[in-house]
Amino acid sequence: MDPQSAIAQVKRAGLFRTQGLIGGKWMDAYDGKTFEVYNPATGEVLANVACMGKKEANDAIASAHAAFTSWSKLTTAERSKLMRKWYDLLIAHQTELGQLITLEQGKPVAEGYNEVLIGASCLEFFLEEVKHCYGDIIPQTQADRRMFVLKQPVGVVGAITPWNLPLAMALRKVSPAMACGCTVVIKPSELTPLSALAVAELALQAGIPPGVFNMVMGFAPEIGDAFLASPKVRAITFTGSTAVGKMLLAGAAQTVKKTSMELGGNAPSMIFDDADLEVTVKGLMIVKFFNCGQTCISPNRILVQEGIHDKFAAALTKAVQTLRVGHGFDEGVTQGPLINQAALHKGAKVLVGGKRHSLGLTFYEPTVLVDVTSDMLISSTEIFGPVLALQRFKTEEEAIHLANDSNAGLAGYIYTENLRRCWRVAEAIEFGIVGVNDGLIPAASAPFGGFKQSGLGREGSKYGLDDFLEIKYLCLGNMV
Ligand code: ADP
């Protein structure tokens, strides 16, 4: 398959959308401006997309606000039924959606198809989970009183999503919000708006009422500011860099909104002398090279105990050499291009890779570095690329100290066959997601979120509804 036939197939399915969606209508930017979306593998322009700003964002907020009254009054069963139709359409169009993801984001098309399933699984989880979202009855404090807790949708939600999983991230945010009765305005990344726009098209086809799901993109700071300034937007949900997240948090204070933030990680993988080498290499390879290392849970600091270090480095290097870099539509490719340049790695020793791939442009060689130390930039910054940086440690205490020596606290991984050590270390490390002898661990049914500066709130699981719900204490007096 080549990019041109993929584009043709997506267009034939009616899923190649380039306008914003406001109040159920596809709209150009009011001043007619557009921006270009590129194929990162070739540098070719894929589409000219409506370049929207404050005015369009405010109209989208107004239509979400108008739709809230009726959407929130539907029963959960009625909302779930519509969302189930949306889910069915996503699955029916898995091929075109997966191809669209590859076109704009670059990942191998098998990963594109898988991303559609990841996104759809969020929708399915929350359209079911919301049916179990109960309130409480509190034992009365006076004989004639009756006391209750109601859970109600917070209102209009502003969602801002990144480019690394452009379809799945959009669905991950809107699924819990819409399931519990909120309406949404979503701003996808300007690097990858097309797959989110296709999701919007399918929402319309599923019969999601106009105004419940709106999408605008273009001038990110203007749209973000419109979300922040509007008292109608009652929650902001964001996935992206810690720097932008902090700005949004500060801005949300103006109107005291709920915020949920999935920010950067700096994940340690802690590999102990008693680890199973095969399990470790397999787990690390899966999560590190998923999406070419461009995820916030990607292991960033590979901490290896000295007894296993050299054996492990050799096995890892061998595994890395089996990866195939190339265009996402080519057979057998496991690593697509990067959206950005890979990270710096000055000072460490390169075992394999370490430079731009011969395909040029945005392609980078899968890389293993050894002799990394804590004072190197690579230990404190998120790499977001296919680079494994190995750092030696001697004792368990030292490993825990190194792992926690970071402002980030999203994901951490432990490899050991010792059950006691596994439990000790898992409790001691300051991370919201801990994987033991396993790689790619996220699931729609599990809570995803960080400690420290990696964010606030949790996505997925029963806890994922909390960011979109208000708790109302209802007290009925003089009841008997
Ligand atoms: P990354 O470095 O992964 O691209 P960003 O935080 O820059 O992370 O981007 C994540 C999302 O945040 C994107 O949709 C981007 O357009 C958006 N964004 C960037 N700057 C702002 C801003 N000032 N206000 C609102 N959204 C923003």
Side-chain angles (χ1 to χ4, degrees), residues 159-164 187-191 218-225 227-228 238-245 247-248 263 339-340 382 384:
I160 300 177
T161 55
W163 50 264
N164 59 351
K187 191 205 83 60
S189 166
E190 284 66 33
L191 297 171
F219 296 107
E222 255 191 47
I223 296 169
D225 287 349
F227 286 179
L228 296 174
F238 171 75
T239 298
S241 61
T242 306
V244 173
M247 250 172 41
L248 294 174
L263 309 179
I339 282 257
N340 291 319
E382 206 175 5
F384 245 65

Side-chain angles (χ1 to χ4, degrees), residues 24-231:
K25 293 203 172 65
W26 292 107
M27 310 278 278
D28 287 325
Y30 295 163
D31 60 6
K33 279 203 181 105
T34 59
F35 64 93
E36 292 179 333
V37 176
Y38 299 93
N39 178 340
T42 62
E44 281 163 12
V45 175
L46 283 174
N48 290 290
V49 171
C51 189
M52 298 178 149
K54 182 177 169 184
K55 285 192 187 136
E56 294 88 342
N58 280 330
D59 286 349
I61 293 167
S63 62
H65 193 249
F68 177 69
T69 313
S70 49
W71 181 249
S72 59
K73 285 203 178 113
L74 292 181
T75 63
T76 48
E78 286 166 331
R79 281 197 298 271
S80 292
K81 228 173 251 170
L82 289 168
M83 292 175 76
R84 171 65 71 179
K85 272 195 200 157
W86 193 14
Y87 170 87
D88 290 342
L89 286 168
L90 288 163
I91 298 297
H93 290 288
Q94 184 190 4
T95 307
E96 298 93 335
L97 293 170
Q99 289 170 356
L100 191 53
I101 293 168
T102 295
L103 283 168
E104 65 175 351
Q105 202 274 346
K107 66 185 64 180
V109 73
E111 278 194 34
Y113 298 147
N114 186 47
E115 184 178 332
V116 180
L117 299 183
I118 296 174
S121 73
C122 297
L123 193 53
E124 185 173 49
F125 177 80
F126 281 110
L127 70 86
E128 289 173 352
E129 179 62 24
V130 73
K131 295 174 188 165
H132 311 286
C133 180
Y134 302 109
D136 296 308
I137 302 173
I138 299 174
Q140 62 259 36
T141 53
Q142 290 180 18
D144 63 347
R145 228 177 222 181
R146 295 296 177 268
M147 300 159 73
F148 304 92
V149 171
L150 311 185
K151 289 187 181 174
Q152 296 186 321
V154 65
V156 175
V157 173
I160 300 177
T161 55
W163 50 264
N164 59 351
L165 282 94
L167 180 141
M169 291 291 154
L171 283 163
R172 203 153 89 150
K173 299 219 169 286
V174 301
S175 301
M178 285 171 58
C180 62
C182 297
T183 53
V184 298
V185 182
I186 173 162
K187 191 205 83 60
S189 166
E190 284 66 33
L191 297 171
T192 55
L194 300 176
S195 34
L197 287 167
V199 167
E201 165 63 30
L202 294 175
L204 286 184
Q205 289 183 21
I208 303 286
V212 171
F213 181 101
N214 304 273
M215 192 169 287
V216 289
M217 62 267 128
F219 296 107
E222 255 191 47
I223 296 169
D225 287 349
F227 286 179
L228 296 174
S230 171

